[in-house]
Structure formats: C-alpha cells, structure tokens
Amino acid sequence: MLSTMLLDQGFVATDITHQTKAKQEVIRTGAWRCPICTYDNEDSMSECDICGALRNCLVRISQTGDSTAGGGRCKSSGASVMVKSLFASFRHRAPAKSVAFEAKNDAVLIEDAFIIRRNFQEFLRAFSSQKHQNINIAPFKFDSPSPDDLVSTRLHSSKLDSKANFKRLSSLDMSTREREKNILIESELGTEGPNSSSASVARDGGVKERDFASDCGIKPEILVSRMRSVSLSSKSRTGNVNEETGTSNLEYKPEAWMIPDQAEDRLSQLNLAIVGHVDSGKSTLSGRLLHLLGRISQKEMHRHEKEAKQQGKGSFAYAWALDESAEERERGITMTVAVAFFNSRKYHVVLLDSPGHRDFVPNMISGATQADAAILVVDASMGSFEAGLDPIGGQTREHALLIRSFGVDQIIVVVNKMDVVEYSQERFEMVKQKLGTFLRSCGFKDSSVLWVPASSMENQNLVATPDERLFSWFHGPCLLDAIDSLQLPARDYSKPLLMPICDIIKSQSQGQVSTCGKLVTGAIRTGSKVLIMPSREVATIRSLERDSQACKIARSGDNVTVNLQGIENNHVTAGGVLCHPDFPVRVSNHLELKILVLDIKIPILSGSQLELHIHHAKEAATVVKILSLLDPKTGKVTKKSPRCILAKQNAVVEVVLQGSVCVEEYAESRALGRVSLRSSGRTVALGLVTQIMKTQ
Ligand code: GTP
Ligand code: MG
C-alpha cells in the first residue's frame, strides 16, 4: 500500500542502500531527481519538494563520490535526520496490520419503551444498583474489518451508510448564517487555564527524551507544537439559521434558571476519564473504588468474585463490576467505555472507564472526550510499564496525547500494581521520571500532574492512608484526596445549549428516545424544546436523569440522560448534537483543519484516507488539499502547498468527509472544534477546525 502511495505521488520505491547509482542527481531537461526520495523536481528548485534535501549538497555528494548517503545514514545530503529516517525506514515496514472491527450499531434497538438490550426498567434497576452504565460505542468482533480498515479500503460501514441523509440535511443553505470575523485562536498547550484545550502538543522546557528509540531508527523527539495567534476567518453559530422558523440574528441571552444558584446544595459533577495501557488495572481500580465507596454492595461483589472464579478469572472480580459483557469477561479486556458514579467530599464524580486495548481506541476517544480531568493508570511491574510507554505498541502515550488534545490539563497518574514491585520507591521514582518527561512533552504542566503510587488489588492508597510499605516513603494524598484536589474546569452557561450525543437508547414506543451525553454549553430542563441535529427535528424533554436519579435541570458540564418525546427513533443518532432550537450547530463534510502530525512513518499526502473523530462522531476523511506547513513555534506559514506532511509537522489541510458531522470552529466551541485523525489503528494527527466549508 505504501509503495502504491509513493508511486501515486511520483515516488519510485527504491532501495537506496543498495543502489548507489540512484544517489546521483539525475539531470534531465527541466528536472533533477532527488537521490533521497527519487522525486523529479523542477530545475528551478534548490531543494527537493518532497523531502527537503538540498540540491547543492547532493550535487557535491555525487561529485565527490560520497556514496554513504541513504539508508538513513546519509551524513551530508542536507536532508534532515527525520526525513532520512523516514525514507530509510520504508523498506523495513511491515504491511499494515489488519484490525478487525464490527461496524457499529448506532444504538440498541429495544422491545418497548423501557428496554435497553433487554428491558430498560431492568437496565435502570441495574443502573441504580450498580451505578454505572456502558456506553455502547462500537461493538467489536475480530472477524470483521475495523473502522480504520473500512477507511483505508474505502468501504462503507453501516454507520456511514446510515448517514446518507446527512448530505440532504446539511445541504440546507448555510450561507445565510455565515458572517465573517477575525478570531484570534490562542491555543498553546500548557499555557492555558483549566478550561483550556487544544489539539496540539507542546512543552515548556528543553528536556530531551532518549529512552524510547523506536526500532526504525527515528530518535524520539519531544513533541512540540504551538499553534499560536492565528488570525482566521470564521463563521459563527448565530441564531438566524433556521429556515423553517425564519428567525434571524437572534442574540442569545441565558434565562435565569440556566445559571446555577451559588446557594444550591448540590455537588458539582466532575467527569473523570480512566485511561491507560491495556491491563494496567483501570477497571480493577474503578471497581475497587466503587466498592470501597459503597457503590457496589457486598452481595454484588461476592457474585462477581464467584462468577470470575468459576471462569478461572478470579483476579478480574473487581474489573467485572465494570466489564459486563460476556465477550469482555471472556477475553479479560474492556471493550466499551463503562460509566459509573460516586461522590467524593467535593464532587459528584462521573467515572469513565476506558478500554486500553489499541483496537478500542475509537471507543476510548468517544468516552474520554467528555473528560474534565483524567486518571492515567500505569502498571508499575517490570516490563509492563515499559510496554505501555513503547512508542509503537504502547497505549500510555497515545492515551495521554489524546486526553491532552481533548483539553484535559489536569491528570492524576496512578502508578498501580505497586504490590508486584514490593512497593519499591526506586521503581516509583523511575516511572515518575520517565513518564513525567513524556507528559511534559505533551503539554501537561508539572503542577497539574499528581502522582499516586497504589495497589488496587491490595487496596493501598486508594481512599485511605496506605500501610507502612508505602507510607514509609510516600506521604502524598491517596487517590480519593487527589481527586478532590482537582479543579473544576470553568463551565460555559452564557452560550446556547450544545450536547453532543454519546449514546442513544431507542424505544419502540412512538416518539420516545433517550440520549446520553455531557452538556458542553447551556442548560436544559424538563419541558424544554431541543433541536436535534443533524436531522433538524425538534423534540421536548420528557425527563432528565443524572446518575439514574431524576433531575429537573442539567447545565454545562453535567453528564445526563435526556429522555425525549415527540421524535422518531431514526431522527436521533449517536454523534449528533442536541441544540437550542434557535441556535443550531453547524453541519458539514468539508473542513479546514490545523493539525499536528504525530510520530508517523507514512507521510500524509493529498488523497490520504484517514478516519476523523470529532466528539462522538467518526467519519472516513480524505485529505483533499495540503494548504501549508506551519512553524511549530510561531504558527507562521513556512511553506505553501507542500506535497506531504511528515511526522511532527504542523500543517493546515482541507478534508472532505464521507458523511457530514455536527461541527463548530474551534474558536466558537472547543469541544466541537477538536478532531483526531487515525489510520491503520493509530492516531496520526490531532487538530482544530479552523474553517467550516460548504458541504461537498
Ligand atoms: P483493559 O480495560 O482491558 O485495558 O484492562 P484494565 O486496565 O482495565 O485492567 P484490569 O482491571 O482488567 O486488570 C488486568 C489485570 O491486572 C487483572 O488480572 C487484575 O487482577 C490485575 N491487576 C489490577 N490491579 C492490580 C494490582 O494493583 N496488583 C496486581 N498484582 N494486579 C492487578
Ligand atoms: Mg478495563
């Protein structure tokens, strides 16, 4: 596939190590061939348009007969080490591993109004007793193609097919609500406040990371990206877009009930994502916390223990409180995000237990995109921590980067399984030093990272002071105190309602659907009318639930189930958005993005097929134009219309999606203006939506 791509772009797949002849510049009329990547450049070019190798240096090399160039060992070609590594590594690359996914069912179709999977009442009972639900984002089977595979092979998943009507909906004339304005995007990771967000990764210092050299010879570099002060044209969400009502230029003013009363005696909701490499103990930690805090009864725990033992998986008893499906239990891994609730002294915590296995990163993205803060769980045991931090197969890095790109800047690192390393301080310090360096490079400030050594299995340092084995050298907060020390991000009550739909519970009862998600802005209450996008249907809120308890009002930051009436099942989809009827979210399949490319090996080219994730939606995306490369430090354009984007470069690209998504420009809404791009089961870039273009 790679060679096809290269050939498509004018590359010749050449083993540069063995063909010294190819090192020499081939001067043809009006063109010269780059000996590094073999691209035929215009004669007027002084450097290769593809890999940046300087022509003069190459001429010198060929004249002096220096044939050591290539194979990643070229010392004086003028091409950067990164570029040389990139091209040198092509021939070593194994074909993309095929990852199998089952096309996602958008929702579970149920028998009657109150059934989810089996029976909704049953679900609610289970929900209230177990205090959690599973966000059923993407059922997985190994014997069907993964979403990434669907993208790369240009197949249509059933989800994509179901979005065929998006085009019709989004073709509604958007120009009426377009207004031009210049917006200053300040998005520099690590320098923003608690509600900050960005899709770039940055670091403050000059710490170099050297311990995790990848096997292709690319020296890991610190990921630095400062998407700074870029003036851009933006069309904002205004209240004049509803063709049906003909309303125009409405100015949004929140009503009194939408602003929380300071005197209100209610704990604030904190959405806490539990992320980390597979098997680091996330579900065990979550189950243990819920049990210790009385959210899982002794009786239930006995049942989990008994059942887990019967299946020869005794050690998974706590994890089973979260991993409910037969497949998850059988395989001993989490596949969908489980949602659970508990109260700390300060917060009503919504726990989002993410899957760690790389095949389920899309599910992790959908769940963790709601996070206000995160717990990154790492396994302290020998070899396991290192495996998690491995740049190729480890999910510790990918999860940390994704979480940061969702705007999360407070993180608790639980160094779990300390029992396995006999509560060694030395091991803890080693983990802290290595992971700390990486987290800094992602833009996490040292002051926003809390380190908690713990053992979920032996209940050490979770909700109380640990015993002597840890306490002899660790005097910091236990996990529960660390959670209470987190700061709640600023909530935006001043803007109209936006609630991306994470999951839906369809009903066969006429006109009733339940949606789950976190309110990004605004507020709703029982009886409110909401606009469902992209279907543009209006429904009434029949009831609201927070932690399976009925509530009357939900505001920005709240994670709730919204029971709607007056709406047909097929007009509500996960990945859609609930909005204020006069202020619809925008819908498009054509976006301009500012992206930071991660540690990729295959360059991103015009025509590259990727998978775009935005809040709870994902769509196949084609890069249709690479507009410019940006200086990571200043954000200024360094090159217009480059042919490709390499690892760690910042760029502005235009993408066209297979189906339309609900989206806002980043300057308008951070939560709806952030994207991640994936390919072949890996996150390849993080980005911000800088412009929403006319649907194609
Ligand atoms: P995924 O969700 O699949 O990524 O895994 P996970 O991170 O949720 O891990 P899980 O909780 O399923 O635990 C994996 C294994 O680690 C289980 O066998 C647990 O018993 C074990 N485990 C979890 N925490 C600890 C711990 O503190 N000490 C020891 N010794 N084992 C632990
Ligand atoms: Mg798990």
Side-chain angles (χ1 to χ4, degrees):
M1 185 184 142
L2 173 72
S3 54
T4 320
M5 264 170 58
L6 294 173
L7 287 167
D8 282 347
Q9 295 301 316
F11 285 95
V12 179
T14 312
D15 183 333
I16 47 181
T17 314
H18 297 116
Q19 298 185 34
T20 50
K21 204 175 158 206
K23 301 286 165 280
Q24 287 156 26
E25 185 187 12
V26 179
I27 310 280
R28 286 190 282 126
T29 337
W32 61 275
R33 177 166 295 177
C34 173
I36 299 295
C37 68
T38 69
Y39 179 73
D40 288 334
N41 290 282
E42 297 285 318
D43 207 21
S44 58
M45 300 287 290
S46 59
E47 62 182 65
C48 175
D49 206 17
I50 293 293
C51 70
L54 293 176
R55 182 183 181 185
N56 287 343
C57 293
L58 300 170
V59 172
R60 250 196 332 270
I61 294 160
S62 68
Q63 282 165 353
T64 55
D66 182 347
S67 62
T68 58
R73 295 183 298 279
C74 173
K75 290 191 178 75
S76 51
S77 70
S80 70
V81 173
M82 196 196 307
V83 168
K84 282 183 284 174
S85 308
L86 182 82
F87 285 98
S89 64
F90 282 163
R91 65 204 157 88
H92 301 303
R93 197 171 304 116
K97 199 177 147 200
S98 171
V99 184
F101 261 81
E102 183 184 78
K104 172 187 178 296
N105 288 328
D106 282 347
V108 182
L109 193 66
I110 48 174
E111 295 293 313
D112 65 52
F114 303 105
I115 294 178
I116 171 174
R117 286 189 187 145
R118 286 148 298 186
N119 180 297
F120 189 40
Q121 285 296 358
E122 211 176 89
F123 164 74
L124 285 179
R125 273 198 301 278
F127 193 83
S128 354
S129 61
Q130 296 185 14
K131 306 301 171 207
H132 74 274
Q133 66 179 112
N134 277 299
I135 299 176
N136 201 11
I137 298 158
F140 173 89
K141 289 235 171 73
F142 279 109
D143 54 1
S144 56
S146 76
D148 290 333
D149 290 343
L150 292 172
V151 172
S152 57
T153 56
R154 303 184 195 207
L155 295 174
H156 294 241
S157 73
S158 60
K159 188 178 177 196
L160 299 176
D161 287 337
S162 75
K163 291 195 174 175
N165 59 349
F166 276 32
K167 275 208 167 127
R168 177 183 62 79
L169 298 159
S170 57
S171 65
L172 290 166
D173 183 16
M174 302 229 183
S175 60
T176 52
R177 64 192 166 117
E178 288 183 355
R179 64 186 164 96
E180 291 289 316
K181 67 174 181 178
N182 282 324
I183 293 168
L184 204 65
I185 290 188
E186 289 277 355
S187 84
E188 186 176 343
L189 290 183
T191 60
E192 293 170 307
N195 198 27
S196 67
S197 57
S198 169
S200 63
V201 273
R203 73 181 179 93
D204 305 325
V207 189
K208 282 261 175 195
E209 194 186 350
R210 294 191 191 86
D211 297 336
F212 306 103
S214 65
D215 58 7
C216 65
I218 299 176
K219 221 177 190 179
E221 291 162 28
I222 288 174
L223 295 161
V224 180
S225 168
R226 287 157 195 252
M227 296 181 173
R228 283 185 175 177
S229 306
V230 176
S231 183
L232 51 98
S233 163
S234 165
K235 294 100 196 168
S236 69
R237 189 161 68 112
T238 57
N240 61 350
V241 297
N242 195 327
E243 287 81 357
E244 284 141 24
T245 61
T247 49
S248 67
N249 286 327
L250 293 176
E251 182 117 350
Y252 179 75
K253 278 211 186 89
E255 296 169 42
W257 62 268
M258 294 178 169
I259 314 292
D261 184 354
Q262 297 297 335
E264 211 173 292
D265 189 22
R266 160 163 104 80
L267 289 174
S268 304
Q269 242 192 35
L270 179 80
N271 298 285
L272 192 59
I274 316 287
V275 299
H277 189 64
V278 66
D279 272 353
S280 51
K282 299 177 291 298
S283 303
T284 305
L285 176 84
S286 306
R288 191 56 124 153
L289 262 184
L290 295 171
H291 183 229
L292 290 166
L293 297 171
R295 303 294 293 200
I296 299 174
S297 68
Q298 204 60 31
K299 199 171 150 205
E300 278 171 88
M301 213 41 246
H302 277 311
R303 184 167 52 83
H304 291 315
E305 263 172 53
K306 202 172 131 208
E307 288 172 5
K309 268 189 195 143
Q310 274 168 2
Q311 285 200 26
K313 288 191 161 41
S315 71
F316 284 89
Y318 287 103
W320 277 26
L322 284 296
D323 297 339
E324 285 193 308
S325 77
E327 198 175 351
E328 284 180 318
R329 290 179 171 191
E330 196 185 311
R331 295 179 54 194
I333 58 168
T334 305
M335 290 154 73
T336 56
V337 177
V339 185
F341 305 86
F342 68 84
N343 287 348
S344 66
R345 266 195 314 276
K346 213 167 137 193
Y347 296 119
H348 177 62
V349 179
V350 180
L351 199 82
L352 302 149
D353 176 32
S354 313
H357 194 286
R358 59 171 295 192
D359 289 349
F360 305 107
V361 173
N363 294 2
M364 175 268 173
I365 290 175
S366 182
T369 187
Q370 304 173 64
D372 299 318
I375 297 180
L376 176 65
V377 183
V378 293
D379 181 342
S381 43
M382 295 297 174
S384 302
F385 166 70
E386 287 74 11
L389 211 55
D390 181 80
I392 308 294
Q395 251 55 63
T396 306
R397 280 169 184 263
E398 190 173 14
H399 282 201
L401 272 168
L402 283 167
I403 274 289
R404 188 67 192 90
S405 81
F406 300 150
V408 171
D409 58 7
Q410 299 175 89
I411 193 165
I412 299 171
V413 182
V414 172
V415 183
N416 192 31
K417 306 198 189 181
M418 285 298 291
D419 54 297
V420 181
V421 293
E422 289 167 348
Y423 298 92
S424 155
Q425 181 179 8
E426 204 185 322
R427 180 69 176 163
F428 173 74
E429 294 299 342
M430 192 282 285
V431 169
K432 190 172 166 182
Q433 192 264 320
K434 283 194 173 170
L435 185 55
T437 303
F438 177 71
L439 293 178
R440 223 169 286 132
S441 78
C442 297
F444 288 102
K445 287 181 191 162
D446 281 354
S447 57
S448 305
V449 182
L450 282 166
W451 298 85
V452 179
S455 166
S456 311
M457 208 48 124
E458 296 191 349
N459 182 19
Q460 288 299 309
N461 214 18
L462 299 181
V463 298
T465 310
D467 67 25
E468 210 35 41
R469 291 172 294 175
L470 257 183
F471 195 65
S472 58
W473 56 268
F474 182 79
H475 302 286
C478 68
L479 179 58
L480 195 60
D481 290 343
I483 292 171
D484 269 333
S485 72
L486 295 168
Q487 298 298 311
L488 207 62
R491 307 294 192 198
D492 196 348
Y493 308 110
S494 66
K495 286 189 180 157
L497 168 72
L498 276 182
M499 186 188 112
I501 303 170
C502 177
D503 200 10
I504 58 173
I505 304 157
K506 288 184 177 175
S507 157
Q508 281 193 342
S509 275
Q510 199 70 31
Q512 292 186 2
V513 184
S514 298
T515 59
C516 308
K518 175 187 165 190
L519 274 76
V520 168
T521 49
I524 40 175
R525 64 178 169 182
T526 315
S528 298
K529 291 250 184 284
V530 288
L531 180 72
I532 292 141
M533 294 296 280
S535 67
R536 287 183 182 267
E537 295 289 330
V538 176
T540 308
I541 298 177
R542 185 163 52 93
S543 59
L544 288 169
E545 286 161 47
R546 186 187 295 113
D547 185 9
S548 71
Q549 305 286 318
C551 61
K552 291 220 161 64
I553 298 176
R555 300 190 181 93
S556 170
D558 287 347
N559 207 314
V560 285
T561 302
V562 183
N563 301 313
L564 299 169
Q565 68 182 26
I567 184 80
E568 292 307 319
N569 276 343
N570 55 354
H571 288 142
V572 193
T573 45
V577 175
L578 298 188
C579 326
H580 186 294
D582 295 330
F583 299 87
V585 68
R586 302 181 67 188
V587 178
S588 181
N589 74 343
H590 189 183
L591 309 173
E592 184 193 271
L593 308 174
K594 187 152 70 168
I595 59 167
L596 165 70
V597 177
L598 303 180
D599 207 354
I600 55 167
K601 290 180 197 152
I602 304 175
I604 295 176
L605 308 161
S606 183
S608 287
Q609 302 283 310
L610 303 169
E611 183 177 289
L612 179 133
H613 293 253
I614 181 164
H615 51 92
H616 304 296
K618 63 172 187 257
E619 279 296 338
T622 306
V623 178
V624 289
K625 247 186 227 168
I626 303 177
L627 299 166
S628 56
L629 289 180
L630 305 175
D631 183 309
K633 291 207 174 101
T634 62
K636 287 194 179 136
V637 174
T638 53
K639 186 168 190 175
K640 284 195 173 153
S641 309
R643 288 188 186 246
C644 66
I645 319 170
L646 307 177
K648 295 173 189 169
Q649 286 186 328
N650 284 12
V652 181
V653 297
E654 237 180 81
V655 293
V656 171
L657 314 180
Q658 205 160 40
S660 293
V661 289
C662 296
V663 56
E664 286 292 335
E665 282 162 11
Y666 180 78
E668 285 294 317
S669 166
R670 290 178 168 181
L672 276 91
R674 293 184 197 109
V675 301
S676 39
L677 295 164
R678 307 194 83 237
S679 172
S680 305
R682 290 190 67 182
T683 305
V684 294
L686 303 168
L688 314 175
V689 179
T690 46
Q691 211 182 322
I692 300 171
M693 302 162 101
K694 218 173 161 72
T695 296
Q696 290 213 332

PDB file of all heavy atoms in Angstrom, residues 576-591:
ATOM      1  N   GLY A 576     -24.702  12.835  16.886  1.00  0.00           N
ATOM      2  CA  GLY A 576     -25.473  14.050  16.626  1.00  0.00           C
ATOM      3  C   GLY A 576     -25.349  14.999  17.816  1.00  0.00           C
ATOM      4  O   GLY A 576     -24.593  14.735  18.758  1.00  0.00           O
ATOM      5  N   VAL A 577     -26.104  16.090  17.782  1.00  0.00           N
ATOM      6  CA  VAL A 577     -25.989  17.094  18.846  1.00  0.00           C
ATOM      7  C   VAL A 577     -27.378  17.646  19.189  1.00  0.00           C
ATOM      8  O   VAL A 577     -28.179  17.912  18.296  1.00  0.00           O
ATOM      9  CB  VAL A 577     -25.053  18.255  18.397  1.00  0.00           C
ATOM     10  CG1 VAL A 577     -25.019  19.372  19.434  1.00  0.00           C
ATOM     11  CG2 VAL A 577     -23.637  17.758  18.150  1.00  0.00           C
ATOM     12  N   LEU A 578     -27.652  17.787  20.482  1.00  0.00           N
ATOM     13  CA  LEU A 578     -28.867  18.484  20.921  1.00  0.00           C
ATOM     14  C   LEU A 578     -28.531  19.967  21.050  1.00  0.00           C
ATOM     15  O   LEU A 578     -27.520  20.323  21.666  1.00  0.00           O
ATOM     16  CB  LEU A 578     -29.331  17.983  22.296  1.00  0.00           C
ATOM     17  CG  LEU A 578     -29.744  16.515  22.455  1.00  0.00           C
ATOM     18  CD1 LEU A 578     -30.349  16.302  23.841  1.00  0.00           C
ATOM     19  CD2 LEU A 578     -30.715  16.079  21.383  1.00  0.00           C
ATOM     20  N   CYS A 579     -29.361  20.816  20.461  1.00  0.00           N
ATOM     21  CA  CYS A 579     -29.078  22.253  20.487  1.00  0.00           C
ATOM     22  C   CYS A 579     -30.316  23.043  20.894  1.00  0.00           C
ATOM     23  O   CYS A 579     -31.433  22.524  20.881  1.00  0.00           O
ATOM     24  CB  CYS A 579     -28.699  22.799  19.120  1.00  0.00           C
ATOM     25  SG  CYS A 579     -27.795  21.725  18.084  1.00  0.00           S
ATOM     26  N   HIS A 580     -30.090  24.292  21.174  1.00  0.00           N
ATOM     27  CA  HIS A 580     -31.184  25.252  21.358  1.00  0.00           C
ATOM     28  C   HIS A 580     -31.862  25.400  19.992  1.00  0.00           C
ATOM     29  O   HIS A 580     -31.183  25.545  18.976  1.00  0.00           O
ATOM     30  CB  HIS A 580     -30.572  26.582  21.816  1.00  0.00           C
ATOM     31  CG  HIS A 580     -31.576  27.614  22.189  1.00  0.00           C
ATOM     32  ND1 HIS A 580     -32.442  28.179  21.274  1.00  0.00           N
ATOM     33  CD2 HIS A 580     -31.866  28.197  23.389  1.00  0.00           C
ATOM     34  CE1 HIS A 580     -33.210  29.062  21.890  1.00  0.00           C
ATOM     35  NE2 HIS A 580     -32.886  29.088  23.179  1.00  0.00           N
ATOM     36  N   PRO A 581     -33.213  25.377  19.952  1.00  0.00           N
ATOM     37  CA  PRO A 581     -33.894  25.401  18.652  1.00  0.00           C
ATOM     38  C   PRO A 581     -33.516  26.582  17.756  1.00  0.00           C
ATOM     39  O   PRO A 581     -33.541  26.465  16.540  1.00  0.00           O
ATOM     40  CB  PRO A 581     -35.378  25.463  19.038  1.00  0.00           C
ATOM     41  CG  PRO A 581     -35.435  24.875  20.393  1.00  0.00           C
ATOM     42  CD  PRO A 581     -34.150  25.220  21.069  1.00  0.00           C
ATOM     43  N   ASP A 582     -33.150  27.703  18.347  1.00  0.00           N
ATOM     44  CA  ASP A 582     -32.800  28.866  17.521  1.00  0.00           C
ATOM     45  C   ASP A 582     -31.316  28.949  17.199  1.00  0.00           C
ATOM     46  O   ASP A 582     -30.882  29.847  16.481  1.00  0.00           O
ATOM     47  CB  ASP A 582     -33.201  30.161  18.242  1.00  0.00           C
ATOM     48  CG  ASP A 582     -34.712  30.259  18.391  1.00  0.00           C
ATOM     49  OD1 ASP A 582     -35.417  29.723  17.513  1.00  0.00           O
ATOM     50  OD2 ASP A 582     -35.161  30.842  19.385  1.00  0.00           O
ATOM     51  N   PHE A 583     -30.541  28.059  17.770  1.00  0.00           N
ATOM     52  CA  PHE A 583     -29.093  28.147  17.581  1.00  0.00           C
ATOM     53  C   PHE A 583     -28.515  26.781  17.209  1.00  0.00           C
ATOM     54  O   PHE A 583     -27.824  26.147  18.003  1.00  0.00           O
ATOM     55  CB  PHE A 583     -28.426  28.680  18.864  1.00  0.00           C
ATOM     56  CG  PHE A 583     -28.885  30.057  19.235  1.00  0.00           C
ATOM     57  CD1 PHE A 583     -30.024  30.237  20.013  1.00  0.00           C
ATOM     58  CD2 PHE A 583     -28.209  31.180  18.781  1.00  0.00           C
ATOM     59  CE1 PHE A 583     -30.470  31.501  20.345  1.00  0.00           C
ATOM     60  CE2 PHE A 583     -28.646  32.450  19.103  1.00  0.00           C
ATOM     61  CZ  PHE A 583     -29.781  32.616  19.892  1.00  0.00           C
ATOM     62  N   PRO A 584     -28.807  26.344  16.004  1.00  0.00           N
ATOM     63  CA  PRO A 584     -28.334  25.010  15.604  1.00  0.00           C
ATOM     64  C   PRO A 584     -26.827  24.958  15.426  1.00  0.00           C
ATOM     65  O   PRO A 584     -26.210  25.950  15.041  1.00  0.00           O
ATOM     66  CB  PRO A 584     -29.016  24.771  14.248  1.00  0.00           C
ATOM     67  CG  PRO A 584     -29.879  25.941  13.999  1.00  0.00           C
ATOM     68  CD  PRO A 584     -29.515  27.031  14.936  1.00  0.00           C
ATOM     69  N   VAL A 585     -26.290  23.822  15.734  1.00  0.00           N
ATOM     70  CA  VAL A 585     -24.867  23.591  15.469  1.00  0.00           C
ATOM     71  C   VAL A 585     -24.705  23.488  13.955  1.00  0.00           C
ATOM     72  O   VAL A 585     -25.662  23.192  13.230  1.00  0.00           O
ATOM     73  CB  VAL A 585     -24.421  22.284  16.172  1.00  0.00           C
ATOM     74  CG1 VAL A 585     -25.059  21.057  15.544  1.00  0.00           C
ATOM     75  CG2 VAL A 585     -22.912  22.133  16.198  1.00  0.00           C
ATOM     76  N   ARG A 586     -23.511  23.726  13.472  1.00  0.00           N
ATOM     77  CA  ARG A 586     -23.306  23.648  12.021  1.00  0.00           C
ATOM     78  C   ARG A 586     -23.070  22.199  11.595  1.00  0.00           C
ATOM     79  O   ARG A 586     -22.657  21.366  12.405  1.00  0.00           O
ATOM     80  CB  ARG A 586     -22.141  24.546  11.621  1.00  0.00           C
ATOM     81  CG  ARG A 586     -22.435  25.979  12.047  1.00  0.00           C
ATOM     82  CD  ARG A 586     -21.349  26.902  11.676  1.00  0.00           C
ATOM     83  NE  ARG A 586     -21.262  27.019  10.227  1.00  0.00           N
ATOM     84  CZ  ARG A 586     -20.283  27.659   9.611  1.00  0.00           C
ATOM     85  NH1 ARG A 586     -19.319  28.206  10.317  1.00  0.00           N
ATOM     86  NH2 ARG A 586     -20.262  27.735   8.299  1.00  0.00           N
ATOM     87  N   VAL A 587     -23.352  21.948  10.346  1.00  0.00           N
ATOM     88  CA  VAL A 587     -23.202  20.589   9.812  1.00  0.00           C
ATOM     89  C   VAL A 587     -22.460  20.682   8.489  1.00  0.00           C
ATOM     90  O   VAL A 587     -22.834  21.461   7.621  1.00  0.00           O
ATOM     91  CB  VAL A 587     -24.592  19.941   9.579  1.00  0.00           C
ATOM     92  CG1 VAL A 587     -24.454  18.554   8.976  1.00  0.00           C
ATOM     93  CG2 VAL A 587     -25.374  19.866  10.881  1.00  0.00           C
ATOM     94  N   SER A 588     -21.415  19.910   8.363  1.00  0.00           N
ATOM     95  CA  SER A 588     -20.679  19.952   7.093  1.00  0.00           C
ATOM     96  C   SER A 588     -19.840  18.698   6.924  1.00  0.00           C
ATOM     97  O   SER A 588     -19.576  17.962   7.877  1.00  0.00           O
ATOM     98  CB  SER A 588     -19.769  21.179   7.065  1.00  0.00           C
ATOM     99  OG  SER A 588     -19.081  21.242   5.838  1.00  0.00           O
ATOM    100  N   ASN A 589     -19.405  18.484   5.704  1.00  0.00           N
ATOM    101  CA  ASN A 589     -18.467  17.381   5.458  1.00  0.00           C
ATOM    102  C   ASN A 589     -17.156  17.908   4.878  1.00  0.00           C
ATOM    103  O   ASN A 589     -16.351  17.149   4.373  1.00  0.00           O
ATOM    104  CB  ASN A 589     -19.087  16.340   4.510  1.00  0.00           C
ATOM    105  CG  ASN A 589     -19.137  16.821   3.068  1.00  0.00           C
ATOM    106  OD1 ASN A 589     -19.000  18.020   2.806  1.00  0.00           O
ATOM    107  ND2 ASN A 589     -19.328  15.907   2.147  1.00  0.00           N
ATOM    108  N   HIS A 590     -17.002  19.231   4.938  1.00  0.00           N
ATOM    109  CA  HIS A 590     -15.834  19.835   4.304  1.00  0.00           C
ATOM    110  C   HIS A 590     -15.199  20.802   5.301  1.00  0.00           C
ATOM    111  O   HIS A 590     -15.794  21.822   5.628  1.00  0.00           O
ATOM    112  CB  HIS A 590     -16.309  20.569   3.036  1.00  0.00           C
ATOM    113  CG  HIS A 590     -15.188  21.043   2.170  1.00  0.00           C
ATOM    114  ND1 HIS A 590     -15.388  21.769   1.030  1.00  0.00           N
ATOM    115  CD2 HIS A 590     -13.861  20.883   2.273  1.00  0.00           C
ATOM    116  CE1 HIS A 590     -14.223  22.036   0.466  1.00  0.00           C
ATOM    117  NE2 HIS A 590     -13.279  21.508   1.210  1.00  0.00           N
ATOM    118  N   LEU A 591     -14.034  20.450   5.783  1.00  0.00           N
ATOM    119  CA  LEU A 591     -13.429  21.210   6.871  1.00  0.00           C
ATOM    120  C   LEU A 591     -11.995  21.611   6.563  1.00  0.00           C
ATOM    121  O   LEU A 591     -11.256  20.879   5.907  1.00  0.00           O
ATOM    122  CB  LEU A 591     -13.415  20.368   8.160  1.00  0.00           C
ATOM    123  CG  LEU A 591     -14.725  19.728   8.604  1.00  0.00           C
ATOM    124  CD1 LEU A 591     -14.478  18.801   9.780  1.00  0.00           C
ATOM    125  CD2 LEU A 591     -15.743  20.794   8.965  1.00  0.00           C
TER     126      LEU A 591
END
